[in-house]
Amino acid sequence: MFFTVLTIFPEMFDPFWEHGIIRRAIEQKLIWASAINIRNFAEDRHQVTDDRPYGGGSGMVMKPEPLAAAIRDASQTLPGAKTVLLTPQGRMFNQQMARELAACVGLVLVCGRYEGVDERICHDLIDYEISIGDYVLTGGELAAMIIIDAVTRLIPGALGGEDAAEKDSFSDGLLEHAHYTRPRVFEGREVPEVLLSGHHQEIERWRLASSLMRTLLKRPDLLKNRELRDEELEVLKSWGSQIGEILKFHRRKHE
Ligand code: 4GX
C-alpha cells in the first residue's frame, strides 16, 4: 500500500513514520509513505498556497492551482490510487471504511488548512471526502495520520502476531473483552479466576460474556443493528435468567 500525503507541513509526519507499527511496516515494505509539500507546486516567487475568499469574509482558502498540480502529480506517480480529502463535511470514518481503504493500491491524502480548499478541487479531483469526527481541527494532517494508522494495521503482516487485527474491537461489531496481566493481585483486586484455570473453552466463553457486557453497557448502539450468533444469544439468555432470579429475590424481600 502506498500513502502520499499532500500538506503544507510535511515535517509533522516525520515522527509519525518513525515509530511503532508504522515504522516497522515501512521497514518491511508493507507500506510506502511520503509527505509532499504543496508549496513545491506553487508557481509564484513566494510559493503562496492560500488566498482570500471570493465574496469576502475572514479566513483564507487554499488556492486551487498548487493543490491541483500536487494531486495530479501524486496520482500519476501512484496509478490506481484513490484521492481522499480530510474535511468535517466528509463521511464519518469508521472500521468498515478502514477495511475498504485497506483494499486500495494507494491513497493520496489531501490535508487542508485555513477555512478549506477551493470547491472546484473537491468536485474534480477527490474520490472520497472523509471526516474523523464531529469536531474542528486546525488542519487535515492529524486526520490523515489517523486514517493511515487504522489502515496500516489491517495490512496482512503489519501487526506481526498472527491474526491480531481480526480479534480487535469492532472487527466483529463488539467491544474488546477485558484484559489482565501479572500480578495476579493488584492493589487488592484479583484477576478473574477463570483466566488462570487453563480451560480454554471457559476462557473463550468468559471473554465473549465480557465483550457483550461492555458493549451493552458502554456502546448499546453497536448491538442494536447487529445479528446475534447462537452462542452470543446463549450468554445474553443466561444473564436474562440470572437477572430474573435477582429480581424475584428482591421482590420477595420487599413484600
Ligand atoms: N476530520 N479539519 C480540514 C480545513 C478544511 C475544511 C474544509 C478541507 C475542507 C477534520 C475532521 C477537520 C478542519 C481538517 C478543517 N479542509 N478533518 N480543515 N474533523 O476538522 O477531518
Side-chain angles (χ1 to χ4, degrees):
M1 162 75 87
F2 290 82
F3 296 106
T4 298
V5 183
L6 304 178
T7 167
I8 58 167
F9 295 130
E11 297 83 5
M12 281 182 74
F13 288 82
D14 293 343
F16 179 59
W17 307 138
E18 287 165 15
H19 292 89
I21 301 283
I22 302 294
R23 180 195 181 121
R24 208 179 53 199
I26 292 169
E27 286 169 355
Q28 295 181 341
K29 300 193 189 298
L30 297 172
I31 66 170
W32 288 261
S34 64
I36 308 283
N37 199 330
I38 295 162
R39 256 179 223 293
N40 298 348
F41 295 86
E43 297 278 356
D44 63 300
R45 215 160 58 81
H46 294 102
Q47 301 198 290
V48 173
T49 56
D50 60 332
D51 203 348
R52 295 189 325 247
Y54 272 122
S58 62
M60 299 294 268
V61 178
M62 294 192 71
K63 285 169 68 64
E65 305 96 320
L67 209 44
I71 295 170
R72 290 210 169 92
D73 186 78
S75 301
Q76 255 161 30
T77 313
L78 304 181
K82 296 290 183 190
T83 56
V84 176
L85 177 70
L86 291 314
T87 163
Q89 286 127 60
R91 217 172 110 206
M92 190 87 74
F93 188 61
N94 62 19
Q95 192 63 20
Q96 173 57 32
M97 287 161 80
R99 278 187 219 113
E100 283 170 30
L101 295 179
C104 295
V105 292
L107 294 177
V108 177
L109 297 130
V110 181
C111 304
R113 286 259 151 186
Y114 325 115
E115 303 307 307
V117 306
D118 188 288
E119 187 65 20
R120 293 160 292 185
I121 292 289
C122 320
H123 214 267
D124 302 338
L125 293 168
I126 297 296
D127 295 314
Y128 306 116
E129 291 188 13
I130 298 180
S131 167
I132 60 159
D134 285 340
Y135 37 77
V136 184
L137 305 171
T138 59
E141 286 79 8
L142 286 168
M145 288 183 210
I146 282 168
I147 288 172
I148 294 168
D149 193 274
V151 169
T152 296
R153 62 185 293 293
L154 294 177
I155 293 168
L159 296 184
E162 356 82 65
D163 53 354
E166 279 315 298
K167 284 183 156 183
D168 277 324
S169 285
F170 299 119
S171 58
D172 70 348
L174 297 177
L175 297 181
E176 278 262 283
H177 57 75
H179 292 81
Y180 295 89
T181 186
R182 291 183 292 183
R184 201 175 62 74
V185 184
F186 173 69
E187 296 183 352
R189 315 225 303 127
E190 294 194 14
V191 172
E193 195 72 37
V194 58
L195 298 180
L196 314 172
S197 69
H199 290 120
H200 293 294
Q201 251 186 317
E202 282 182 40
I203 291 170
E204 279 317 302
R205 207 176 152 81
W206 182 89
R207 286 182 168 162
L208 177 60
S210 171
S211 275
L212 282 166
M213 180 68 88
R214 292 174 136 202
T215 312
L216 197 60
L217 292 177
K218 298 179 182 182
R219 293 293 306 276
D221 57 300
L222 293 178
L223 278 179
K224 285 210 176 103
N225 300 312
R226 180 180 173 284
E227 298 273 339
L228 289 167
R229 286 181 278 128
D230 285 351
E231 38 180 351
E232 293 167 353
L233 268 174
E234 241 171 82
V235 171
L236 287 171
K237 272 189 215 149
S238 79
W239 294 346
S241 61
Q242 281 165 31
I243 289 167
E245 290 300 308
I246 292 165
L247 287 175
K248 242 191 276 172
F249 177 75
H250 194 75
R251 269 191 231 111
R252 241 193 339 263
K253 262 183 59 169
H254 290 271
E255 258 164 16

